[in-house]
Amino acid sequence: RSFHGPTRLREALTFSRNVVSVRLAQRIGIDYLLDYLPRFGLARPFPHNLSIALGSAEVTLLELVRAYNVFASGGRLYDPIFILKVIDADGRVLEERRPSALRTLSPQTAYLMTSMLEDVVERGTGRGARGLGRPIAGKTGTTNDMVDAWFVGFTPRLVAGVWVGFDLPRTLGPGETGSRAALPIWRDFMS
C-alpha cells in the first residue's frame, strides 16, 4: 500500500515487491517468458498471461527445487534421481546412477541470480534462514489468501524446498507467509 518508485530487480526480489516482476514480464513479453521456462525444467503448458510472473501457475515442489538448482549449479539443469545406488548385503554395487545435466543458462546469469537470492536471505524476506555458517540463497513465496507458503533455498552443496499447505486448498490463516510457515522448517532441515 505504498509506492516505491523505480526499483531495481535485486530490491524487488529481496523485499517481494511483485509489481516489478509483472513489469519485467510485460517488458520481455509473455511469449519470451514462456519459451524460457523449459530451461528450468518447467515444460508443461502455462497460462498465457502476466500473472505467471507472480507464480499463478501451479508447479510441484520437486519442479520448483529443480528450477532453483539451475541457479545453484551455475546454469545446469539436472534430472532428479531418487535412488543413486543399490548395494547388496556384501557391499557390492548392483546398480548406480549418476546425475546427468544440460547447460541451460549461462554461468554469469546463474551467478547474478544467486547473488540476488543471497540478498533475499541477508536483507529481505528470507532473513530467517541466516546463521547456518555458510552462504545461503533463497526465496520465500506466499499465494493469495495464504493458501500456500513455501521457501526454496540453497547452499553451495544442497538445494532444498519446503511447501506448507493443505491437500484440499484453503487458507493457512492470517500471517502464514513463506517466511513464517515454510522457512523455519527449511532452516531446521538445513542445520
Side-chain angles (χ1 to χ4, degrees), residues 107-163:
Q108 295 85 353
T109 300
Y111 172 83
L112 289 172
M113 283 302 305
T114 297
S115 174
M116 287 191 277
L117 293 169
E118 285 174 333
D119 272 5
V120 173
V121 172
E122 285 303 311
R123 307 183 299 117
T125 59
R127 284 185 311 274
R130 292 182 303 188
L132 295 180
R134 53 197 180 273
I136 301 168
K139 185 70 184 88
T140 58
T142 309
T143 59
N144 290 349
D145 301 320
M146 292 169 209
V147 171
D148 299 289
W150 57 267
F151 182 79
V152 177
F154 53 94
T155 67
R157 296 189 43 87
L158 184 64
V159 181
V162 172
W163 166 79

Side-chain angles (χ1 to χ4, degrees), residues 168-183:
L168 298 174
R170 63 181 172 145
T171 186
L172 294 167
E176 293 302 321
T177 62
S179 57
R180 183 171 166 183
L183 193 148

Side-chain angles (χ1 to χ4, degrees), residues 4 11 14-15 24 27 45 58 79 85 95-97 105 116 121 124 131 133 136 144 148 158 160 176 178 182:
H4 297 281
E11 298 300 312
T14 299
F15 300 108
L24 179 61
R27 194 92 182 259
E58 285 191 25
D79 288 328
K85 192 185 296 188
E95 186 175 337
E96 186 170 8
R97 292 194 57 204
L105 202 62
M116 287 191 277
V121 172
I136 301 168
N144 290 349
D148 299 289
L158 184 64
E176 293 302 321

Side-chain angles (χ1 to χ4, degrees), residues 2 11 16 20 43 47 61 68 70-71 79 82 85 88-89 91 103 107 120 124 128 149 159-160 177 184:
S2 60
E11 298 300 312
S16 290
V20 175
L61 183 59
Y68 273 73
V70 173
F71 303 133
D79 288 328
F82 294 97
K85 192 185 296 188
D88 70 11
R103 176 156 308 279
V120 173
V159 181
T177 62

Side-chain angles (χ1 to χ4, degrees), residues 22 25 36 47-48 109-110 121 129 165:
V22 174
Y36 212 81
H48 197 273
T109 300
V121 172

